[in-house]
Amino acid sequence: MALPTDTKTPAPPPAAESPPINDGFWMRALALFLVSFANMQWYRRWKKSNWGVFYISSTLCVRCCERTRLNEARAMQLVRQHTAIPAPKIYCSFEHKGLVYILMERMPGKPLANGWVFRSDTSKAKILAQLKPMLAQLRNVPRPSPQNGHGLPKVNADVVSGIDGGQFFDGNLPNKRFWGPFNTVKDFHRGLRGNLMVVPDEYTEERYTDLRKLIALQEDYVASPPVLTHGDLSANNILADGDNVTGIVDWETAAWMPAYWEYTNAWHVNPHNPYWQEEVPKFLEAYPVELEMEKLRRRIYDTY
C-alpha cells in the first residue's frame, strides 16, 4: 500500500494573502463603479471582456473573477519595481464581497498568438531577443519582506509560495487550484505526488515503473532557491506591437517556484499551439532533465 512519507517537513506557518494596494475609499468606489458600468449588456457587446478582464478604455482595465487574487496585483507591482518588464501598472487592488478587484493599466499591443506562425523568422527572432533579458531579470527579483504583518515572519529563500508567502494558484496542477506554501522544493515535489514514497501495488506495470522513476528523480533532485516565476508564459500572455514587445500580462500564477518551473510550464502551456514549444528554449533557459521529469509527472497524473 502507498504510505505518506513520515519525513515530510512541517509546512510553513499559515500566511495571509498579499496586502491590498492603494485601497482608499475613492479608489475602491471608482473600481466598483467601472466594473458595474462595464458589465452592462450594451457595453459588453461594444467592449468585449476577456478572461475576467473588463476593458474600460485603451489604457485602463479592471481584473475581477473568481480566481483573481491580491497575489496577482502584488506580483505586477514587484515586477515593475525591480525589472524593465512591461507589466501593467497597478492603480489599486482590494477585496469586496468575496471578490478581488484589480484596477490597472491596459497594455498596448496584441497577443503573439495572433499571427505568430505567419511572422517572418526575422520578426520572431527580434521578439524573442527582447524576451530573453526580460525573463532573466525576473529570475533576479529579490523576495520581498513581509508587508504590514502579512507573509512569513521572516524572508525564507527556500519556500515555494505565493508572492508574500501564502498560497499560489495553478489551474493545471492536479486535484486543486491553490497550493502551498512548502518549506522546500522537495516538499513541493512530494506534494505534487500526494506525498507518496512507495508505489501502490494496484498500479499497472507501466504506471508503476513511471511513478517509481518519478519518486527517484524528485527525491534526488538538488534544487536552487525558488525564483519569481510568471508561470503561464503562453503566446496569449505576451503582447507586441509590430516587432516590439509591449506587455506581459496575466500574472495570476506568479509565485516563488523552482528555477525550472517557468521553462517546463511554458513548454506545456498550450496543447493546441505546439509551435510555441519550439520557441520556449529561445527565450528561457532550458532544463531538459527537469522537462523529462515534468513530462513523466504529467503523464502519470493525466495532466497535460
Side-chain angles (χ1 to χ4, degrees), residues 1 4 27 40 49 55 66 68 74 85 99 125 132 148 159 163 195 201 205 243 245 279 298:
M1 293 294 294
M27 291 303 295
M40 293 180 179
S49 299
Y55 298 127
E66 291 181 355
T68 305
R74 272 285 285 147
I85 295 172
L99 287 176
K132 191 170 184 177
N148 302 325
V159 171
I163 300 303
N195 296 317
D201 295 334
E205 182 177 353
D243 292 341
V245 175
E279 313 297 357
R298 289 166 183 257

PDB file of all heavy atoms in Angstrom, residues 1 4 27 40 49 55 66 68 74 85 99 125 132 148 159 163 195 201 205 243 245 279 298:
ATOM      1  N   MET A   1       0.832  -1.206   0.000  1.00  0.00           N
ATOM      2  CA  MET A   1       0.000   0.000   0.000  1.00  0.00           C
ATOM      3  C   MET A   1       0.860   1.246   0.000  1.00  0.00           C
ATOM      4  O   MET A   1       1.980   1.233   0.503  1.00  0.00           O
ATOM      5  CB  MET A   1      -0.915   0.017   1.233  1.00  0.00           C
ATOM      6  CG  MET A   1      -1.976  -1.067   1.242  1.00  0.00           C
ATOM      7  SD  MET A   1      -3.177  -0.839  -0.083  1.00  0.00           S
ATOM      8  CE  MET A   1      -3.945   0.685   0.460  1.00  0.00           C
ATOM      9  N   PRO A   4       2.142   7.746   3.048  1.00  0.00           N
ATOM     10  CA  PRO A   4       2.716   9.074   3.033  1.00  0.00           C
ATOM     11  C   PRO A   4       4.039   9.070   3.763  1.00  0.00           C
ATOM     12  O   PRO A   4       4.226   8.315   4.715  1.00  0.00           O
ATOM     13  CB  PRO A   4       1.675   9.933   3.751  1.00  0.00           C
ATOM     14  CG  PRO A   4       0.880   8.974   4.555  1.00  0.00           C
ATOM     15  CD  PRO A   4       0.921   7.673   3.837  1.00  0.00           C
ATOM     16  N   MET A  27     -10.792  55.119  -4.458  1.00  0.00           N
ATOM     17  CA  MET A  27     -10.271  54.192  -5.457  1.00  0.00           C
ATOM     18  C   MET A  27     -11.129  52.930  -5.520  1.00  0.00           C
ATOM     19  O   MET A  27     -11.410  52.405  -6.604  1.00  0.00           O
ATOM     20  CB  MET A  27      -8.817  53.831  -5.136  1.00  0.00           C
ATOM     21  CG  MET A  27      -7.827  54.979  -5.317  1.00  0.00           C
ATOM     22  SD  MET A  27      -7.848  55.665  -6.998  1.00  0.00           S
ATOM     23  CE  MET A  27      -7.257  54.294  -7.965  1.00  0.00           C
ATOM     24  N   MET A  40     -22.645  46.214 -18.007  1.00  0.00           N
ATOM     25  CA  MET A  40     -23.926  46.444 -18.663  1.00  0.00           C
ATOM     26  C   MET A  40     -23.944  45.756 -20.016  1.00  0.00           C
ATOM     27  O   MET A  40     -22.936  45.724 -20.725  1.00  0.00           O
ATOM     28  CB  MET A  40     -24.171  47.945 -18.831  1.00  0.00           C
ATOM     29  CG  MET A  40     -24.369  48.687 -17.515  1.00  0.00           C
ATOM     30  SD  MET A  40     -24.663  50.457 -17.780  1.00  0.00           S
ATOM     31  CE  MET A  40     -24.892  51.019 -16.089  1.00  0.00           C
ATOM     32  N   SER A  49     -15.159  41.739 -22.963  1.00  0.00           N
ATOM     33  CA  SER A  49     -14.226  41.410 -21.904  1.00  0.00           C
ATOM     34  C   SER A  49     -13.589  40.060 -22.212  1.00  0.00           C
ATOM     35  O   SER A  49     -14.059  39.301 -23.055  1.00  0.00           O
ATOM     36  CB  SER A  49     -14.926  41.372 -20.544  1.00  0.00           C
ATOM     37  OG  SER A  49     -15.474  42.629 -20.233  1.00  0.00           O
ATOM     38  N   TYR A  55     -12.501  45.728 -20.003  1.00  0.00           N
ATOM     39  CA  TYR A  55     -11.760  46.777 -20.695  1.00  0.00           C
ATOM     40  C   TYR A  55     -12.540  48.080 -20.605  1.00  0.00           C
ATOM     41  O   TYR A  55     -13.629  48.211 -21.154  1.00  0.00           O
ATOM     42  CB  TYR A  55     -11.531  46.384 -22.152  1.00  0.00           C
ATOM     43  CG  TYR A  55     -10.697  45.126 -22.298  1.00  0.00           C
ATOM     44  CD1 TYR A  55     -11.139  44.057 -23.066  1.00  0.00           C
ATOM     45  CD2 TYR A  55      -9.475  45.015 -21.648  1.00  0.00           C
ATOM     46  CE1 TYR A  55     -10.376  42.901 -23.190  1.00  0.00           C
ATOM     47  CE2 TYR A  55      -8.708  43.861 -21.769  1.00  0.00           C
ATOM     48  CZ  TYR A  55      -9.161  42.819 -22.538  1.00  0.00           C
ATOM     49  OH  TYR A  55      -8.403  41.676 -22.653  1.00  0.00           O
ATOM     50  N   GLU A  66     -13.504  34.912 -10.247  1.00  0.00           N
ATOM     51  CA  GLU A  66     -13.425  34.061  -9.065  1.00  0.00           C
ATOM     52  C   GLU A  66     -11.997  33.698  -8.697  1.00  0.00           C
ATOM     53  O   GLU A  66     -11.697  33.449  -7.532  1.00  0.00           O
ATOM     54  CB  GLU A  66     -14.244  32.784  -9.286  1.00  0.00           C
ATOM     55  CG  GLU A  66     -15.755  33.031  -9.345  1.00  0.00           C
ATOM     56  CD  GLU A  66     -16.525  31.752  -9.544  1.00  0.00           C
ATOM     57  OE1 GLU A  66     -15.879  30.700  -9.732  1.00  0.00           O
ATOM     58  OE2 GLU A  66     -17.766  31.793  -9.509  1.00  0.00           O
ATOM     59  N   THR A  68      -9.263  35.634  -9.361  1.00  0.00           N
ATOM     60  CA  THR A  68      -8.405  36.811  -9.161  1.00  0.00           C
ATOM     61  C   THR A  68      -8.049  36.929  -7.688  1.00  0.00           C
ATOM     62  O   THR A  68      -8.909  36.811  -6.824  1.00  0.00           O
ATOM     63  CB  THR A  68      -9.118  38.097  -9.619  1.00  0.00           C
ATOM     64  OG1 THR A  68      -9.545  37.936 -10.971  1.00  0.00           O
ATOM     65  CG2 THR A  68      -8.190  39.292  -9.521  1.00  0.00           C
ATOM     66  N   ARG A  74       0.180  42.166  -6.454  1.00  0.00           N
ATOM     67  CA  ARG A  74       1.487  42.327  -5.813  1.00  0.00           C
ATOM     68  C   ARG A  74       2.599  41.857  -6.728  1.00  0.00           C
ATOM     69  O   ARG A  74       3.691  42.436  -6.762  1.00  0.00           O
ATOM     70  CB  ARG A  74       1.511  41.553  -4.507  1.00  0.00           C
ATOM     71  CG  ARG A  74       1.022  42.329  -3.329  1.00  0.00           C
ATOM     72  CD  ARG A  74       2.048  43.367  -2.855  1.00  0.00           C
ATOM     73  NE  ARG A  74       3.141  42.720  -2.144  1.00  0.00           N
ATOM     74  CZ  ARG A  74       4.387  43.142  -2.147  1.00  0.00           C
ATOM     75  NH1 ARG A  74       4.711  44.203  -2.843  1.00  0.00           N
ATOM     76  NH2 ARG A  74       5.326  42.512  -1.471  1.00  0.00           N
ATOM     77  N   ILE A  85      10.543  44.838 -17.299  1.00  0.00           N
ATOM     78  CA  ILE A  85       9.476  44.088 -17.967  1.00  0.00           C
ATOM     79  C   ILE A  85       8.226  44.969 -18.061  1.00  0.00           C
ATOM     80  O   ILE A  85       7.817  45.570 -17.067  1.00  0.00           O
ATOM     81  CB  ILE A  85       9.141  42.803 -17.176  1.00  0.00           C
ATOM     82  CG1 ILE A  85      10.341  41.861 -17.196  1.00  0.00           C
ATOM     83  CG2 ILE A  85       7.913  42.110 -17.753  1.00  0.00           C
ATOM     84  CD1 ILE A  85      10.184  40.653 -16.288  1.00  0.00           C
ATOM     85  N   LEU A  99     -14.829  38.931  -3.716  1.00  0.00           N
ATOM     86  CA  LEU A  99     -14.129  39.040  -4.999  1.00  0.00           C
ATOM     87  C   LEU A  99     -12.997  40.047  -4.892  1.00  0.00           C
ATOM     88  O   LEU A  99     -13.103  41.043  -4.188  1.00  0.00           O
ATOM     89  CB  LEU A  99     -15.088  39.473  -6.109  1.00  0.00           C
ATOM     90  CG  LEU A  99     -16.106  38.438  -6.606  1.00  0.00           C
ATOM     91  CD1 LEU A  99     -17.037  39.078  -7.635  1.00  0.00           C
ATOM     92  CD2 LEU A  99     -15.417  37.223  -7.210  1.00  0.00           C
ATOM     93  N   ALA A 125      12.640  36.384 -34.328  1.00  0.00           N
ATOM     94  CA  ALA A 125      13.929  36.496 -33.635  1.00  0.00           C
ATOM     95  C   ALA A 125      14.035  37.810 -32.869  1.00  0.00           C
ATOM     96  O   ALA A 125      14.570  37.851 -31.753  1.00  0.00           O
ATOM     97  CB  ALA A 125      15.074  36.372 -34.632  1.00  0.00           C
ATOM     98  N   LYS A 132      14.200  37.445 -23.839  1.00  0.00           N
ATOM     99  CA  LYS A 132      15.235  36.724 -23.091  1.00  0.00           C
ATOM    100  C   LYS A 132      15.797  37.529 -21.919  1.00  0.00           C
ATOM    101  O   LYS A 132      15.814  37.035 -20.777  1.00  0.00           O
ATOM    102  CB  LYS A 132      16.349  36.277 -24.042  1.00  0.00           C
ATOM    103  CG  LYS A 132      17.330  35.310 -23.406  1.00  0.00           C
ATOM    104  CD  LYS A 132      18.249  34.709 -24.443  1.00  0.00           C
ATOM    105  CE  LYS A 132      19.160  33.655 -23.807  1.00  0.00           C
ATOM    106  NZ  LYS A 132      20.021  33.002 -24.822  1.00  0.00           N
ATOM    107  N   ASN A 148       3.149  44.781   6.238  1.00  0.00           N
ATOM    108  CA  ASN A 148       2.034  45.043   7.149  1.00  0.00           C
ATOM    109  C   ASN A 148       1.635  43.810   7.965  1.00  0.00           C
ATOM    110  O   ASN A 148       0.465  43.539   8.199  1.00  0.00           O
ATOM    111  CB  ASN A 148       0.802  45.530   6.366  1.00  0.00           C
ATOM    112  CG  ASN A 148       1.108  46.781   5.572  1.00  0.00           C
ATOM    113  OD1 ASN A 148       1.887  47.619   6.013  1.00  0.00           O
ATOM    114  ND2 ASN A 148       0.507  46.898   4.406  1.00  0.00           N
ATOM    115  N   VAL A 159      11.415  28.713   0.494  1.00  0.00           N
ATOM    116  CA  VAL A 159       9.980  28.424   0.477  1.00  0.00           C
ATOM    117  C   VAL A 159       9.400  28.560  -0.934  1.00  0.00           C
ATOM    118  O   VAL A 159       9.678  29.522  -1.647  1.00  0.00           O
ATOM    119  CB  VAL A 159       9.235  29.358   1.446  1.00  0.00           C
ATOM    120  CG1 VAL A 159       7.727  29.217   1.290  1.00  0.00           C
ATOM    121  CG2 VAL A 159       9.633  29.052   2.883  1.00  0.00           C
ATOM    122  N   ILE A 163       3.469  35.292  -3.648  1.00  0.00           N
ATOM    123  CA  ILE A 163       4.373  36.433  -3.592  1.00  0.00           C
ATOM    124  C   ILE A 163       4.750  36.807  -2.170  1.00  0.00           C
ATOM    125  O   ILE A 163       5.917  37.070  -1.872  1.00  0.00           O
ATOM    126  CB  ILE A 163       3.752  37.652  -4.309  1.00  0.00           C
ATOM    127  CG1 ILE A 163       3.480  37.311  -5.776  1.00  0.00           C
ATOM    128  CG2 ILE A 163       4.681  38.856  -4.223  1.00  0.00           C
ATOM    129  CD1 ILE A 163       4.699  36.862  -6.558  1.00  0.00           C
ATOM    130  N   ASN A 195       2.480  13.035  -1.578  1.00  0.00           N
ATOM    131  CA  ASN A 195       3.392  12.541  -0.541  1.00  0.00           C
ATOM    132  C   ASN A 195       3.668  11.036  -0.628  1.00  0.00           C
ATOM    133  O   ASN A 195       4.071  10.410   0.362  1.00  0.00           O
ATOM    134  CB  ASN A 195       2.864  12.883   0.860  1.00  0.00           C
ATOM    135  CG  ASN A 195       2.802  14.380   1.089  1.00  0.00           C
ATOM    136  OD1 ASN A 195       3.726  15.112   0.717  1.00  0.00           O
ATOM    137  ND2 ASN A 195       1.720  14.870   1.669  1.00  0.00           N
ATOM    138  N   ASP A 201       0.483  -1.016  -4.947  1.00  0.00           N
ATOM    139  CA  ASP A 201       0.570  -2.331  -5.588  1.00  0.00           C
ATOM    140  C   ASP A 201      -0.397  -2.471  -6.754  1.00  0.00           C
ATOM    141  O   ASP A 201      -0.141  -3.215  -7.700  1.00  0.00           O
ATOM    142  CB  ASP A 201       0.263  -3.431  -4.555  1.00  0.00           C
ATOM    143  CG  ASP A 201       1.304  -3.484  -3.455  1.00  0.00           C
ATOM    144  OD1 ASP A 201       2.446  -3.065  -3.709  1.00  0.00           O
ATOM    145  OD2 ASP A 201       0.966  -3.936  -2.344  1.00  0.00           O
ATOM    146  N   GLU A 205       1.702  -2.019 -14.628  1.00  0.00           N
ATOM    147  CA  GLU A 205       3.163  -2.133 -14.722  1.00  0.00           C
ATOM    148  C   GLU A 205       3.800  -0.846 -15.248  1.00  0.00           C
ATOM    149  O   GLU A 205       4.811  -0.377 -14.728  1.00  0.00           O
ATOM    150  CB  GLU A 205       3.536  -3.300 -15.630  1.00  0.00           C
ATOM    151  CG  GLU A 205       5.042  -3.512 -15.741  1.00  0.00           C
ATOM    152  CD  GLU A 205       5.393  -4.719 -16.601  1.00  0.00           C
ATOM    153  OE1 GLU A 205       4.458  -5.457 -17.000  1.00  0.00           O
ATOM    154  OE2 GLU A 205       6.589  -4.911 -16.880  1.00  0.00           O
ATOM    155  N   ASP A 243       7.184  44.486 -34.120  1.00  0.00           N
ATOM    156  CA  ASP A 243       8.250  43.629 -33.608  1.00  0.00           C
ATOM    157  C   ASP A 243       8.704  44.038 -32.212  1.00  0.00           C
ATOM    158  O   ASP A 243       9.753  43.586 -31.740  1.00  0.00           O
ATOM    159  CB  ASP A 243       9.460  43.674 -34.561  1.00  0.00           C
ATOM    160  CG  ASP A 243       9.172  43.023 -35.901  1.00  0.00           C
ATOM    161  OD1 ASP A 243       8.204  42.234 -35.976  1.00  0.00           O
ATOM    162  OD2 ASP A 243       9.889  43.303 -36.877  1.00  0.00           O
ATOM    163  N   VAL A 245       8.003  44.103 -28.131  1.00  0.00           N
ATOM    164  CA  VAL A 245       7.248  43.558 -27.014  1.00  0.00           C
ATOM    165  C   VAL A 245       6.707  44.719 -26.186  1.00  0.00           C
ATOM    166  O   VAL A 245       7.462  45.585 -25.738  1.00  0.00           O
ATOM    167  CB  VAL A 245       8.131  42.648 -26.141  1.00  0.00           C
ATOM    168  CG1 VAL A 245       7.361  42.174 -24.907  1.00  0.00           C
ATOM    169  CG2 VAL A 245       8.625  41.459 -26.950  1.00  0.00           C
ATOM    170  N   GLU A 279       9.678  27.583 -29.536  1.00  0.00           N
ATOM    171  CA  GLU A 279      10.188  28.918 -29.241  1.00  0.00           C
ATOM    172  C   GLU A 279      10.676  29.067 -27.796  1.00  0.00           C
ATOM    173  O   GLU A 279      11.546  29.892 -27.519  1.00  0.00           O
ATOM    174  CB  GLU A 279       9.090  29.963 -29.502  1.00  0.00           C
ATOM    175  CG  GLU A 279       8.350  29.820 -30.819  1.00  0.00           C
ATOM    176  CD  GLU A 279       9.262  29.990 -32.039  1.00  0.00           C
ATOM    177  OE1 GLU A 279      10.466  30.278 -31.885  1.00  0.00           O
ATOM    178  OE2 GLU A 279       8.751  29.805 -33.157  1.00  0.00           O
ATOM    179  N   ARG A 298       3.275  14.555 -15.469  1.00  0.00           N
ATOM    180  CA  ARG A 298       2.019  14.881 -16.133  1.00  0.00           C
ATOM    181  C   ARG A 298       1.383  13.641 -16.769  1.00  0.00           C
ATOM    182  O   ARG A 298       0.164  13.515 -16.820  1.00  0.00           O
ATOM    183  CB  ARG A 298       2.254  15.973 -17.179  1.00  0.00           C
ATOM    184  CG  ARG A 298       2.551  17.331 -16.541  1.00  0.00           C
ATOM    185  CD  ARG A 298       3.117  18.326 -17.568  1.00  0.00           C
ATOM    186  NE  ARG A 298       3.455  19.597 -16.947  1.00  0.00           N
ATOM    187  CZ  ARG A 298       2.709  20.699 -17.039  1.00  0.00           C
ATOM    188  NH1 ARG A 298       1.586  20.683 -17.720  1.00  0.00           N
ATOM    189  NH2 ARG A 298       3.092  21.809 -16.446  1.00  0.00           N
TER     190      ARG A 298
END
